[in-house]
């Protein structure tokens, strides 16, 4: 079964850091591009970041650029999101999502998400 | 940067047809995809590209596009189709991924 499982969420103070992980199974992770998407409480979906299959191409939303870093480890079938200088507005459920081949903005497999709460 | 605009809510009688629309300049260059999200669940891809359905998505879901507007049509809406629907595409200027604000579908 194709599956993505996020972890690493939690409560963090403003200005703090957190590292999210996403473990993939059931498909050849190294062949797929990946995205992080978040959803603030009661709000819509917001794209956060993209990474190519070989990590050579990376994009960030303006709202997180310079604070968040996406990475991947194909040996561990895992995707990561290092989040620094966290703000209250970063509070959200964070989803990792697999991109369709050749269409990095279409996402065909999603994890269940991990919740990040930024609060003092 | 570009953005995608959706109406906040739409309703449909059980078994009838409903269209959900998404507008944006980038849609003149790139097809949209559509996601269904039920409360407390992750989004599910229902339509991508010109009009493609992933495996397991009922054929009552279809997509179309004209100019700067993409549409998701549900022909013969079922109670289980009640959900939030999001369109998505990419920025035509940069490389950013865009999501619409979402449309809440109520099946009466």
């Amino acid at each position: 079964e194709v599956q993505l499982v996020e972890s690493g969420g939690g409560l963090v103070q403003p200005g703090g850091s957190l590292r999210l992980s996403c473990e993939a199974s059931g498909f050849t992770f190294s062949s797929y591009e990946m995205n992080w998407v978040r959803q603030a409480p009661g709000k819509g979906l917001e794209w956060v970041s993209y990474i190519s299959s070989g990590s050579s191409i990376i994009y960030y939303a303006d709202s997180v650029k310079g604070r968040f870093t996406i990475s991947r480890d194909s040996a561990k079938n895992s995707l990561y999101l290092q989040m620094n200088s966290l703000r209250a507005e970063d509070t959200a459920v964070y989803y990792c999502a697999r991109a369709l081949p050749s269409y990095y903005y279409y996402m065909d497999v999603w994890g269940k998400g991990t919740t990040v709460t930024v609060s003092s | 940067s570009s953005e995608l605009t959706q109406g906040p809510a739409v309703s449909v009688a059980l078994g009838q047809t409903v269209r959900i629309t998404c507008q944006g300049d980038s849609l003149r260059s790139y097809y949209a995809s559509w996601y269904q999200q039920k409360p407390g669940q992750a989004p599910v891809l229902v339509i991508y590209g010109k009009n493609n359905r992933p495996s397991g998505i009922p054929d009552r879901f279809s997509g179309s596009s004209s100019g700067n507007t993409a549409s998701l049509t549900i022909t013969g809406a079922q109670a289980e189709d009640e959900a939030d629907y999001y369109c998505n595409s990419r920025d035509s200027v940069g490389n950013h991924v865009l999501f619409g604000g979402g449309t809440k579908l109520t099946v009466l």
Side-chain angles (χ1 to χ4, degrees), chain B residues 2 18 20-21 31 41-42 46-47 49-50 52 65 69 71 73 80 87-88 93 95 98 100 104-105:
Chain B
S2 299
V18 63
I20 298 171
T21 61
Y31 288 113
Q41 298 184 19
V46 296
I47 290 289
K50 191 172 184 180
N52 301 294
S65 185
T69 302
S71 301
T73 300
E80 61 264 31
C87 62
N88 126 281
V93 176
N95 298 308
L98 305 174
K104 182 176 182 61
L105 173 65

Side-chain angles (χ1 to χ4, degrees), chain A residues 11-33:
Chain A
L11 174 63
V12 61
Q13 292 188 339
S17 298
L18 214 52
R19 189 196 195 204
L20 306 184
S21 300
C22 169
E23 185 170 354
S25 59
F27 65 99
T28 306
F29 176 71
S30 60
S31 297
Y32 284 85
E33 302 159 295

Side-chain angles (χ1 to χ4, degrees), chain B residues 22-99:
Chain B
C22 172
Q23 290 188 302
D25 287 341
S26 65
L27 299 179
R28 297 183 185 279
S29 304
Y30 302 99
Y31 288 113
S33 63
W34 292 91
Y35 303 84
Q36 176 192 72
Q37 187 181 36
K38 297 180 180 179
Q41 298 184 19
V44 173
L45 179 66
V46 296
I47 290 289
Y48 66 94
K50 191 172 184 180
N51 182 21
N52 301 294
R53 277 177 292 105
S55 174
I57 300 301
D59 61 5
R60 63 179 179 272
F61 289 89
S62 64
S64 61
S65 185
S66 177
N68 73 335
T69 302
S71 301
L72 172 70
T73 300
I74 307 174
T75 303
Q78 302 299 302
E80 61 264 31
D81 299 334
E82 186 162 290
D84 293 326
Y85 290 86
Y86 295 90
C87 62
N88 126 281
S89 188
R90 60 161 287 182
D91 195 332
S92 56
V93 176
N95 298 308
H96 288 185
V97 176
L98 305 174
F99 280 97

